[in-house]
Amino acid sequence: PSETANVGQQEINYLNYGGHECCRTSPRSIGSLLSKESAAFLRLSSVADFRGGESLVVRIIKGIPDAAGARHLLDRLLGILLQKRGMLTLAGPTGSGKTTLLYQLATRLAESRMVLSIEDPVEINQPQFLQLQVNPEADMTYPQLLKAALRHRPDVLLIGEIRDRQTAQSACEAAISGHIVLATVHARSAADTPLRLSSFWL
């Protein structure tokens, strides 16, 4: 292997197994690290091929960006939510800003309401929320955590991502019962969202 490849593998090993500056909070295959020096979360996803090579994707998350430029949009969305309640689903491809907008909305709502989030994994540490992290090994799936969350009577439910039929159904039931539900879904556009959600029932 080339010197560059060796250096790259050393960096991957460092992030996979943790160094002095970081502490691991999730499994190796997909998880996050907390950098104590910069107070940033590193969202990690790593895979290895049959030859022993490895690929690692790192997303740097440093809190919730300032929403000053989108304040008008946030005000409009909040007005609709507070008037009609129900579920607001944010759609878009990976990296399009769904989670950022979700947090910006929820942070504004948390000023006067109880916000409970269910995420896989928790991407941004937000003390204003009660944040639950999905852990299938402990039987803490999205549907299971949604059931538990409703017992705490939150005003706002934040669902990191709707990925399956059970989560979609639970989210809809929570919205119908009077909760404000904020969620994301992988779809190309808002127009594709109903098709994406209905695909869970096919």
Side-chain angles (χ1 to χ4, degrees), residues 32-145:
S32 60
L33 294 172
L34 171 62
S35 171
K36 296 177 180 178
E37 290 185 345
S38 61
F41 281 92
L42 307 181
R43 176 84 180 271
L44 308 178
S45 177
S46 66
V47 293
D49 68 7
F50 73 98
R51 292 182 296 265
E54 195 165 6
S55 173
L56 177 71
V57 175
V58 181
R59 291 174 60 191
I60 301 173
I61 302 170
K62 297 192 68 172
I64 305 171
D66 181 21
R71 194 168 302 279
H72 180 63
L73 172 62
L74 289 178
D75 288 342
R76 286 187 60 189
L77 290 174
L78 286 170
I80 294 170
L81 275 174
L82 295 176
Q83 181 180 2
K84 298 186 176 181
R85 304 183 76 84
M87 181 166 67
L88 175 66
T89 306
L90 304 178
T94 301
S96 60
K98 299 185 298 296
T99 300
T100 298
L101 180 55
L102 202 69
Y103 268 89
Q104 289 171 339
L105 283 168
T107 299
R108 291 279 295 276
L109 289 167
E111 294 173 2
S112 58
R113 293 167 177 80
M114 177 187 174
V115 176
L116 191 153
S117 74
I118 301 172
E119 304 170 72
D120 182 23
V122 171
E123 291 201 25
I124 301 174
N125 181 16
Q126 176 51 280
Q128 291 176 272
F129 306 167
L130 178 60
Q131 295 178 287
L132 308 182
Q133 182 160 295
V134 171
N135 182 358
E137 294 180 2
D139 200 27
M140 295 169 62
T141 61
Y142 268 114
Q144 291 292 341
L145 289 177

Side-chain angles (χ1 to χ4, degrees), residues 142-163:
Y142 268 114
Q144 291 292 341
L145 289 177
L146 269 167
K147 288 180 181 178
L150 292 176
R151 298 190 189 104
H152 293 266
R153 302 180 65 184
D155 301 302
V156 181
L157 266 173
L158 187 156
I159 301 173
E161 183 183 345
I162 295 177
R163 298 175 178 171

Side-chain angles (χ1 to χ4, degrees), residues 3-21:
E3 183 177 346
T4 301
N6 285 332
V7 171
Q9 189 59 53
Q10 289 173 10
E11 295 294 333
I12 289 175
N13 290 341
Y14 176 81
L15 289 171
N16 268 333
Y17 300 106
H20 296 296
E21 295 83 6

